[in-house]
Amino acid sequence: MSFDKTRKPEPEGGDDALWGAGIRSPEAAPYWLSAIIESADDAIITKTLEGVITSWNPGARRIFGYTADEAIGRPVTMLIPEERPDEEPAILARLVRGERIEHYETVRVRKDGSRVDISLTVSPIRGPDGEIVGASKIARDISARKRAEEALRRSERELSDFFENAVVGLHWVGPDGRILRANRAELEMLGYEAEEYLGHNITEFHADRAAIQDILARLSRGEVLHEYEARLRCKDGSIRHVLIDSSVMWDDEEFVHTRCFTRDITERKRAEQERELLLEREREARREAEQARREAEEASRLKDEFLATVSHELRTPLTAILGWAHMLRTGQMSGAETDSVYETIERNARAQSQLIDDLLDVSRIITGKLRIDARPVNPVTFIDAAVESVRPAAEARGVRLQKVVDTGVVTVSGDPVRLQQVVWNLLSNAIKFTPRGGRVQVRMERVDSQVEISVSDTGAGIPAEFLPHVFDRFRQADQKTTRRHGGLGLGLAIVRHLVELHGGTVRAESEGEDKGATFKVLLPAAPLQSRVGGGAARAPSAGAPSPHSYGSPERLDGLKVLVVDDERDTLDMLRAGLSLCGAEVTAAASAAEALAALEGGRFDLLVSDIGMPGEDGYELLRKVR
């Protein structure tokens, strides 16, 4: 059948009155059926079993481009591409068997030669006797759908290609937290195989599980999270710092999955940490430089103050010595006054000698040349010697001097001269800072495996801010020119060094100004086999002068002594002093003179100055040996 819209149907009257005028078959179609066929968008075609087209509706014309006159009577194969010669015979074979073909998708050729994608539904047509006489076809243009599907497939391919080849890590996470999909970059970044990663819960790979649980909860509420930092655990146990962008895919308000974009920022974090470390080092270097600058300024200030102090302290006794010596030489003193003058000169000379000895000790400490002659010694001996050394000074100042010692204390291993110097320095310091009527006490007792020697006073005390610096060299609490107490600020520094050389410790305690001070020395007790009895401490060469240092000389009768010093006054004094003791003295003003004297005779003792022009004392001793 074919339908022509130019002729209107008539309600009655012969062939011309048939509904659907233009029908080229003897049978007439109901009006309502022709209206459906004419208005259909799909192509509705009938054909014989031989494949000849017998009807062609307007939908067929729109889809294939042929008019009814051009199509009816022609074989349906004109619509079939040449590369599909077997398609029509296969369809006819199924029709002959009475089959109905539904939604068969294929391709057909339009009048202009272009191709069109169609979906075919083919049904057999039976005659009055039930015999199959032809077929009807409904062809639907699915080109738009095919294009959409192809576009969708292309989009999916592109998305898949993008997903797999993206340089950043990508992974999809289901509502239950399980990983649904991950790309190559994600797997390579963390070092996992796909089967080791997919299907596992995402929290297994986060170093901060509590944080990721919070993230998942926020995503389930519909939040979109941009660039939040996380730490992912790699297969080898290392940690990767990442930035993640996450959003949820919804389908009709149903949570489908979370899409996560992962960027590795481990190197950036490392660079930031290194940069921060460098900045901190730079800040630390600046702090150290500033500290060094302040310390250098402080050292310079202390040096200037020390030079001013040492000049004053050395000049003070020297002034007294020179003044009284001048008056003695010019005969301005009466005979009754000379004994007192000689005592004053001797006392000031001792004070100056003490200052010089302290300076020499500090020099030896700084250069590491200060040594101790350690042997078993009873602490009572050097404490008694020190107390007797300072007793005249204490009595002169009106200070009570107390001694409390445990005579059962075991011995210590040390240099008795230097240990006496320690106690003498502490006692002298305490006496100097204790006012008239005050008390200085030295106490010794056993404390576990140590011997504790403490010197306490009721004097000026130590300010809290100065207490940490009390053992520093050249440091004094009062460094003004108007200070009440003299000294170089070296005694306590020497004490600390000597105590540490003996393996002990020393500390200072004070409740503040005018509340006195206590210095405690802890010395390790000597091993059992070293605990032997007393023996008086020999007079120290520096620090604590013996009360007999300038008393009656020992006899040196018959001892041959060679004295070497480039200073004539010192040389004459040594020669005279040794001669008074009965020694036979030969004097030399240089190392060369001494060597010449040694070649001409034998000597029992060589006494030499160290610093001399030309050859010093060390070089002289080397040549002698």
Side-chain angles (χ1 to χ4, degrees):
M1 287 185 289
S2 174
F3 299 90
D4 188 349
K5 292 182 178 179
T6 60
R7 298 183 64 183
K8 296 181 180 179
E10 299 178 4
E12 58 183 6
D15 292 338
D16 292 339
L18 289 174
W19 289 344
I23 295 176
R24 300 184 181 181
S25 69
E27 296 85 8
Y31 177 77
W32 56 270
L33 181 59
S34 67
I36 292 173
I37 293 173
E38 278 197 30
S39 62
D41 288 331
D42 298 336
I44 301 175
I45 305 168
T46 59
K47 65 178 181 179
T48 65
L49 291 178
E50 289 76 23
V52 177
I53 298 172
T54 58
S55 68
W56 189 265
N57 77 331
R61 179 174 181 173
R62 285 193 298 273
I63 293 174
F64 299 111
Y66 293 99
T67 64
D69 292 335
E70 292 171 330
I72 294 173
R74 296 182 65 182
V76 76
T77 53
M78 71 177 185
L79 302 175
I80 299 175
E82 293 179 356
E83 67 271 14
R84 300 189 177 195
D86 299 329
E87 188 175 285
E88 182 61 18
I91 292 174
L92 287 173
R94 294 177 64 183
L95 287 171
V96 170
R97 294 195 297 270
E99 294 183 28
R100 186 171 185 270
I101 303 170
E102 294 184 359
H103 308 304
Y104 170 62
E105 294 185 4
T106 185
V107 178
R108 291 294 179 258
V109 180
R110 292 191 178 99
K111 180 180 178 179
D112 61 5
S114 61
R115 303 291 181 99
V116 59
D117 294 296
I118 63 171
S119 173
L120 278 178
T121 296
V122 185
S123 303
I125 299 175
R126 297 180 183 273
D129 56 0
E131 183 182 358
I132 297 174
V133 296
S136 65
K137 291 184 176 183
I138 299 176
R140 176 166 294 173
D141 185 353
I142 60 172
S143 298
R145 195 195 80 191
K146 285 289 186 180
R147 286 194 297 271
E149 290 176 351
E150 179 58 30
L152 180 60
R153 284 192 294 272
R154 184 169 60 251
S155 176
E156 288 178 345
R157 286 194 302 270
E158 291 174 352
L159 178 60
S160 179
D161 182 67
F162 167 78
F163 186 91
E164 289 300 327
N165 298 310
V167 294
V168 298
L170 300 172
H171 62 277
W172 291 178
V173 180
D176 59 356
R178 297 196 175 275
I179 302 171
L180 305 176
R181 189 177 181 184
N183 71 341
R184 183 169 55 249
E186 178 98 358
L187 295 173
E188 290 177 352
M189 176 175 62
L190 302 179
Y192 294 101
E193 299 295 331
E195 59 271 16
E196 297 172 325
Y197 198 60
L198 301 182
H200 292 265
N201 196 288
I202 189 64
T203 58
E204 297 177 26
F205 305 98
H206 277 260
D208 306 308
R209 291 198 174 192
I212 192 59
Q213 291 287 6
D214 178 65
I215 292 294
L216 292 174
R218 293 172 61 187
L219 289 169
S220 67
R221 295 194 296 267
E223 293 187 41
V224 177
L225 304 178
H226 294 292
E227 294 190 343
Y228 62 87
E229 288 194 25
R231 298 186 304 141
L232 298 181
R233 187 176 291 105
C234 300
K235 183 178 179 179
D236 62 6
S238 62
I239 297 296
R240 285 280 175 185
H241 293 267
V242 296
L243 277 181
I244 301 179
D245 288 271
S246 296
S247 61
V248 175
M249 181 70 177
W250 298 90
D251 184 9
D252 293 335
E253 299 185 358
E254 182 180 355
F255 191 131
V256 179
H257 61 252
T258 300
R259 295 169 295 188
C260 301
F261 294 75
T262 309
R263 282 180 289 161
D264 188 354
I265 59 168
T266 304
E267 293 304 319
R268 191 186 84 184
K269 293 291 287 188
R270 183 177 294 115
E272 289 175 355
Q273 292 171 355
E274 290 177 354
R275 183 170 65 252
E276 184 59 32
L277 181 61
L278 289 174
L279 289 174
E280 180 57 32
R281 287 177 178 172
E282 181 182 353
R283 287 192 289 267
E284 181 63 25
R286 288 179 180 177
R287 286 194 293 267
E288 291 177 355
E290 178 63 20
Q291 179 66 18
R293 184 188 64 79
R294 288 196 296 268
E295 289 176 355
E297 290 178 352
E298 178 69 6
S300 178
R301 184 185 65 81
L302 290 175
K303 181 192 69 175
D304 293 342
E305 291 178 352
F306 169 72
L307 290 176
T309 300
V310 76
S311 298
H312 175 268
E313 294 296 324
L314 289 174
R315 188 180 296 113
T316 298
L318 186 61
T319 300
I321 294 170
L322 290 174
W324 287 115
H326 176 74
M327 286 187 282
L328 286 172
R329 185 176 62 82
T330 56
Q332 301 179 29
M333 306 298 300
S334 65
E337 295 175 318
T338 54
D339 288 343
S340 175
V341 170
Y342 287 138
E343 183 180 343
T344 301
I345 292 174
E346 182 179 355
R347 183 172 63 252
N348 280 276
R350 287 185 185 183
Q352 192 170 55
S353 175
Q354 178 63 49
L355 293 173
I356 294 171
D357 284 342
D358 283 349
L359 289 172
L360 290 174
D361 273 347
V362 169
S363 176
R364 294 186 188 104
I365 290 171
I366 293 174
T367 57
K369 293 180 179 179
L370 186 62
R371 298 289 183 266
I372 62 173
D373 181 16
R375 61 179 181 271
V377 58
N378 190 327
V380 175
T381 59
F382 60 78
I383 291 175
D384 285 346
V387 169
E388 293 306 315
S389 296
V390 300
R391 190 177 296 280
E395 292 173 352
R397 292 181 60 88
V399 174
R400 287 183 295 119
L401 188 60
Q402 296 178 346
K403 180 180 66 172
V404 181
V405 296
D406 181 359
T407 56
V409 169
V410 296
T411 62
V412 296
S413 178
D415 186 328
V417 174
R418 290 301 184 180
L419 290 175
Q420 180 182 338
Q421 183 180 356
V422 167
V423 179
W424 183 89
N425 271 344
L426 293 177
L427 288 170
S428 297
N429 197 64
I431 292 169
K432 180 170 67 174
F433 287 96
T434 301
R436 181 173 294 276
R439 174 186 56 82
V440 173
Q441 182 187 81
V442 57
R443 175 183 294 272
M444 180 191 69
E445 58 186 334
R446 175 78 176 268
V447 179
D448 297 329
S449 61
Q450 294 178 304
V451 174
E452 182 181 270
I453 302 170
S454 64
V455 175
S456 59
D457 64 67
T458 59
I462 304 172
E465 64 275 10
F466 185 72
L467 200 58
H469 307 288
V470 73
F471 292 105
D472 293 351
R473 291 194 298 269
F474 310 127
R475 292 292 292 268
Q476 292 177 296
D478 182 6
Q479 295 191 330
K480 301 186 293 293
T481 56
T482 57
R483 60 195 178 125
R484 292 178 295 171
H485 307 288
L488 300 178
L490 298 177
L492 293 179
I494 294 171
V495 164
R496 181 178 64 176
H497 189 78
L498 290 175
V499 170
E500 290 175 351
L501 279 179
H502 285 81
T505 59
V506 60
R507 70 179 188 273
E509 299 172 355
S510 177
E511 294 182 2
E513 293 187 65
D514 298 323
K515 293 184 179 180
T518 299
F519 290 83
K520 293 184 178 181
V521 175
L522 282 174
L523 297 171
L528 209 58
Q529 61 269 25
S530 298
R531 296 176 186 171
V532 297
R538 57 188 171 87
S541 59
S546 166
H548 304 294
S549 295
Y550 295 91
S552 300
E554 298 291 339
R555 298 304 301 170
L556 303 175
D557 295 332
L559 192 69
K560 293 184 177 181
V561 181
L562 174 60
V563 178
V564 188
D565 199 307
D566 62 301
E567 291 290 338
R568 177 58 60 181
D569 290 343
T570 303
L571 187 62
D572 291 343
M573 183 273 294
L574 289 173
R575 179 170 52 190
L578 291 170
S579 296
L580 286 174
C581 295
E584 298 179 15
V585 182
T586 301
S590 66
E593 289 184 19
L595 290 172
L598 287 168
E599 290 176 356
R602 295 181 61 82
F603 295 90
D604 299 308
L605 178 66
L606 170 64
V607 179
S608 174
D609 186 19
I610 293 176
M612 296 185 294
E615 292 179 313
D616 60 16
Y618 294 120
E619 181 65 17
L620 171 61
L621 292 178
R622 188 186 65 80
K623 289 184 175 180
V624 169
R625 288 177 180 144

